[in-house]
Amino acid sequence: MGVIVGPRVIHAGASLFSVLISPVAVAAGFPSPAQDYFDGRIDLNAHLIKDITSTFLVRVTGDSMEGAGISDGDELIVNRALEPRDGAVVIAVLDGELTVKRLRITRTGVVLQAENPKYPDIHVPALSELTIWGVATRCLHHV
């Protein structure tokens, strides 16, 4: 269904990730024997998070967004300061219920679009209460 399990606050100054980085791109085809070394560290906070004061992590449950590469158990990096735009993956609060969907703004109204054919799009009724809680910027996907 694409339901969100409560956001986790990312505290300023907190280090989520600091990992080794390869100096070259990794081929998805044949491996190169020369690529067996690493070149220092990269701070994934700086790479993944643009505004620490408005960024949260949310864990996704359900499979309604699989077509967008978002699976059950994945964590989304969500920026609450970004303006939601047509086509963005958003965390929406519709009549008090949290959900992750693709935002579609049409002439006839707002649609929260699932990315799985098993789930219908949600055409937001005019009298419904809709809040876009934040815009997803990255998906931390388990492999």
Side-chain angles (χ1 to χ4, degrees), residues 1-4 58 60 64-65 68 70 76-80 82-94 97-105 110-115 122 124 130-138:
M1 185 162 189
V3 177
I4 307 301
V58 296
V60 177
S64 72
M65 294 302 289
I70 302 170
L76 298 177
I77 298 176
V78 178
N79 188 329
R80 295 198 67 198
L82 293 178
E83 182 176 334
R85 299 187 186 278
D86 180 58
V89 174
V90 299
I91 308 305
V93 184
L94 179 60
E97 299 289 325
L98 279 167
T99 188
V100 57
K101 296 288 184 276
R102 188 167 305 279
L103 178 66
R104 294 295 181 193
I105 301 169
V110 175
V111 177
L112 298 175
Q113 181 181 38
E115 294 281 344
I122 301 168
V124 179
L130 174 67
T131 303
I132 303 301
W133 191 84
V135 177
T137 59
R138 296 278 194 264

Side-chain angles (χ1 to χ4, degrees), residues 48-71:
L48 298 174
I49 299 170
K50 301 301 179 211
D51 183 358
I52 192 86
T53 61
S54 62
T55 302
F56 295 80
L57 288 179
V58 296
R59 178 163 295 148
V60 177
T61 61
D63 62 353
S64 72
M65 294 302 289
E66 282 186 347
I70 302 170
S71 301

Side-chain angles (χ1 to χ4, degrees), residues 12 21 28 44 62 72 88 93 96 101 104-105 107 128 137 139 142:
I21 183 170
L44 290 180
D72 184 58
V93 184
K101 296 288 184 276
R104 294 295 181 193
I105 301 169
R107 287 188 203 149
S128 292
T137 59
C139 178
H142 298 274

